[in-house]
Amino acid sequence: LIKFKGKINLMKKIKILAIETSCDETGAAILEGKSGSKNPRFKILANVVSSQIKIHALWGGVVPSLAKREHQANLIPVLKKTLKESNLLIFNSEFLIFKQIQSSKFKILNSILEREPELLKQFLKFIPAIAVPKIDAIAVTSGPGLEPALWTGVNFAKALALIWKKPLIAVNHMEGHIVSVLLKQNKIIKFPAIALLVSGGHTELVLIKNWLNYRIIGQTLDDAAGEAFDKVARLLGLPYPGGPALAKLAVKNKKVPDFKPRTPSAVRFPRPMINSRDFDFSFSGLKTAVLYLVRKLPELTPEIKAQICREFQQAVIDVLIAKTLKAVQKYKPKTVILGGGVAANQELRKQIKKELSKKFSKISLLLPEIKFTGDNAAMIAAAG
């Protein structure tokens, strides 16, 4: 990434444009906030997300090459909408920014976007026709994520930073999920804090001693929780995206009685590593247990499918909460944060709140708003 050697006045309100393309969501956002504050506050001027769910649903999962193609097609339209919503889009036919750019920068621009020809074409058509927006910096997700998708966003942000002469800030996607809880008004993170980050690609416990001071104390050794949700949903023939569909079926069929325990028809899955002394997770075996059960069943009735969803979901939740409580017991944080796509799961939110309040009533639990649990650029801007 291009390094910025200048300084930003941290005492004034600053506006940050953020780009997010870590997976299959093309996102752009502009936030206004006061940087350098112990209790940061943000005002979201615009937060635009273009989803690719319908495209990847045909394949039952995210196809990296298709995600890259869609990011190329969507970044300029998403940026245009973001600038318009934040009242920073100014068309000026006389203000041709490229007239002020040396030919060497044209070469750099072409080299930056040489692997995104469709994006370069749109870039050269749109960017020269608008005035440089009144932003102070550009933030972009630099990882983790799908590399083809990530690089499209990174290169786009690099090109904007080059042409607009703005500092470029690389943001870790998981850090974005941590600070997503601050997008809800009047929320304060008291340190030390522990974050349980649960998404389609990651499941980890992070110890946060202060701003920008993170240490991963536990993580999945194989499948992430969200990935396990999606794969089990596919085994049960549920529509994509599988995780939300599985959770919906589990809640919808709560009135269906459980099978009686210790009978041949009982639905009971293991809680992998729930009693291990570390803070790591493993969900591959749990997924396999569902597979073996489905293979043995003579018929996958709606009732049995509902019970499988409920038991699988509860097994995941039990492990996530048990590990979090164990980490809380050891590190004694003042705040617990839940973040990531799976943080939208209502049962997880309800049960972690209940268990924390019961065993650690003085600890503050911060949950992101549902709309900020998935991949979005607002959280990247806040982290930036």
Side-chain angles (χ1 to χ4, degrees):
L1 298 179
I2 299 172
K3 292 183 178 180
F4 178 63
K5 296 181 180 180
K7 293 182 179 180
I8 296 177
N9 184 353
L10 299 183
M11 299 309 294
K12 71 165 189 173
K13 288 185 178 180
I14 63 172
K15 291 187 178 72
I16 292 185
L17 164 69
I19 305 296
E20 155 63 25
T21 62
S22 63
C23 193
D24 61 337
E25 310 281 7
T26 308
I30 295 178
L31 260 64
E32 181 181 80
K34 188 175 181 181
S35 183
S37 172
K38 291 183 178 180
N39 299 321
R41 290 289 181 269
F42 305 104
K43 180 180 179 182
I44 301 175
L45 303 182
N47 184 36
V48 179
V49 178
S50 177
S51 176
Q52 302 177 14
I53 286 179
K54 290 184 179 180
I55 295 171
H56 298 287
L58 299 173
W59 305 91
V62 179
V63 181
S65 59
L66 293 182
K68 175 184 172 68
R69 183 195 70 185
E70 291 305 304
H71 287 316
Q72 285 194 63
N74 294 333
L75 274 167
I76 288 295
V78 166
L79 174 64
K80 182 178 179 180
K81 186 175 180 180
T82 302
L83 292 173
K84 186 175 181 180
E85 288 186 6
S86 57
N87 295 318
L88 295 177
L89 179 61
I90 301 175
F91 284 98
N92 191 341
S93 59
E94 296 180 359
F95 184 84
L96 296 178
I97 189 172
F98 288 111
K99 287 183 178 180
Q100 304 173 11
I101 300 175
Q102 298 176 354
S103 59
S104 60
K105 283 195 175 181
F106 276 112
K107 293 180 181 179
I108 297 174
L109 177 62
N110 286 323
S111 66
I112 290 174
L113 295 177
E114 63 181 347
R115 295 187 178 182
E116 289 82 26
E118 173 61 26
L119 180 56
L120 176 61
K121 182 179 178 181
Q122 291 190 49
F123 191 99
L124 292 173
K125 183 178 180 180
F126 176 69
I127 299 302
I130 65 173
V132 178
K134 293 182 179 181
I135 59 173
D136 298 282
I138 299 171
V140 63
T141 303
S142 60
L146 300 176
E147 285 199 24
L150 278 169
W151 275 111
T152 304
V154 168
N155 288 336
F156 180 61
K158 286 172 67 175
L160 289 177
L162 173 74
I163 301 304
W164 289 345
K165 297 180 181 179
K166 301 295 181 181
L168 185 59
I169 305 166
V171 173
N172 184 288
H173 183 75
M174 304 312 291
E175 185 179 7
H177 281 304
I178 290 174
V179 302
S180 67
V181 296
L182 296 177
L183 297 175
K184 194 173 182 179
Q185 295 300 315
N186 300 321
K187 295 298 180 181
I188 299 174
I189 297 177
K190 296 179 181 179
F191 299 107
I194 285 180
L196 172 63
L197 305 179
V198 197
S199 66
H202 299 83
T203 300
E204 57 191 41
L205 280 165
V206 182
L207 175 63
I208 313 167
K209 294 184 178 180
N210 209 327
W211 292 118
L212 309 180
N213 187 337
Y214 311 99
R215 179 161 70 92
I216 297 175
I217 58 175
Q219 59 189 326
T220 181
L221 303 179
D222 39 61
D223 289 357
E227 180 184 1
F229 263 90
D230 289 337
K231 289 181 177 178
V232 168
R234 190 184 301 179
L235 287 174
L236 298 177
L238 299 178
Y240 178 85
L246 187 153
K248 184 178 180 180
L249 185 59
V251 174
K252 184 178 180 181
N253 291 273
K254 268 194 170 184
K255 294 182 179 180
V256 178
D258 287 323
F259 283 118
K260 294 180 180 180
R262 293 183 295 279
T263 64
S265 60
V267 176
R268 178 69 179 174
F269 297 128
R271 270 63 173 165
M273 297 184 69
I274 194 169
N275 295 317
S276 65
R277 294 183 180 181
D278 54 33
F279 304 110
D280 290 331
F281 304 89
S282 173
F283 296 106
S284 179
L286 176 58
K287 175 194 64 181
T288 303
V290 178
L291 173 63
Y292 287 165
L293 175 63
V294 171
R295 285 179 176 177
K296 290 178 181 179
L297 291 171
E299 183 182 5
L300 192 60
T301 65
E303 291 79 13
I304 294 177
K305 186 182 293 188
Q307 292 178 50
I308 290 174
C309 289
R310 289 172 58 194
E311 171 62 12
F312 168 79
Q313 176 176 263
Q314 192 57 51
V316 173
I317 290 174
D318 286 346
V319 174
L320 292 174
I321 293 178
K323 293 286 185 173
T324 303
L325 294 179
K326 187 181 296 184
V328 169
Q329 181 69 40
K330 179 176 180 178
Y331 293 103
K332 297 176 174 53
K334 295 179 180 178
T335 307
V336 170
I337 296 167
L338 177 63
V342 183
N345 185 287
Q346 292 296 336
E347 278 300 308
L348 175 58
R349 294 168 77 95
K350 181 176 71 175
Q351 292 185 36
I352 195 171
K353 183 178 181 179
K354 179 181 177 181
E355 291 302 315
L356 268 175
S357 62
K358 183 169 64 175
K359 298 179 180 179
F360 303 97
S361 58
K362 294 183 179 180
I363 294 177
S364 174
L365 173 65
L366 298 184
L367 304 173
E369 290 187 60
I370 298 297
K371 63 182 177 181
F372 296 127
T373 55
D375 295 345
N376 66 89
M379 69 182 191
I380 303 303

